[in-house]
Amino acid sequence: MSVFVRERRIRFSDCDPAGIVFYPQYFVMFNGLVEDWVNEGLGLSYHGLVAERRVGLPTVHLDADFKAVSPLGDLVALQLSVEKLGRTSLTLQVQCAGRDHGDVRIAMHQVIVTTSLDTHRAIEIPADLRAAIERFKGSTP
């Protein structure tokens, strides 16, 4: 299974007064990871999909397990792999793990549906996006 990975330093703006990641910030980090994956991992333009072609990529379901804390200053690895590719949706496995010890901080399944930003209804995954995802799934890490 191919995995897209981005290292990230936990910032002050990610944390609550206890000095650990405030849990909603993980969702912000993972949204950025999806954008990077589309741009760099799939070789497409996220901006082009959304702003120019008007293809939405909203999250419609999240299943998250919080396993350990991520403290301010920690270097983590954000990881994404494709679990399932459907007609109008894809299911991703995403996680945040410590770079030094590899301990998983949060593991999540995320379902994204492709939509028309004009009608806000589900549409088939565009052919070029589907082909790029298939190539990604078939590549080795």
Side-chain angles (χ1 to χ4, degrees):
M1 174 184 308
S2 292
V3 179
F4 181 77
V5 180
R6 282 292 167 263
E7 287 189 349
R8 187 178 188 287
R9 180 87 48 200
I10 300 301
R11 300 170 189 224
F12 178 78
S13 61
D14 298 324
C15 297
D16 63 15
I20 59 177
V21 171
F22 180 47
Y23 70 93
Q25 292 300 334
Y26 281 116
F27 303 133
V28 174
M29 290 181 216
F30 289 147
N31 190 72
L33 181 66
V34 169
E35 287 187 39
D36 291 346
W37 174 62
V38 169
N39 288 323
E40 300 165 32
L42 299 182
L44 299 174
S45 168
Y46 188 90
H47 176 267
L49 279 172
V50 175
E52 296 168 9
R53 295 169 59 184
R54 310 276 304 146
V55 175
L57 299 170
T59 296
V60 297
H61 181 78
L62 290 173
D63 180 17
D65 290 315
F66 298 89
K67 299 174 179 274
V69 300
S70 295
L72 174 63
D74 203 13
L75 185 61
V76 296
L78 304 177
Q79 305 169 3
L80 177 154
S81 60
V82 178
E83 182 177 293
K84 180 180 175 186
L85 180 61
R87 188 177 66 81
T88 62
S89 68
L90 62 147
T91 302
L92 304 175
Q93 291 179 357
V94 292
Q95 70 176 22
C96 172
R99 280 309 287 164
D100 295 335
H101 305 290
D103 55 320
V104 175
R105 314 301 175 70
I106 176 176
M108 189 171 78
H109 288 89
Q110 176 180 12
V111 179
I112 294 174
V113 172
T114 49
T115 64
S116 162
L117 291 179
D118 296 322
T119 66
H120 300 288
R121 296 194 182 271
I123 59 171
E124 286 194 29
I125 295 172
D128 59 335
L129 178 57
R130 174 177 294 286
I133 294 169
E134 290 287 359
R135 280 191 304 274
F136 174 80
K137 284 177 58 177
S139 67
T140 56

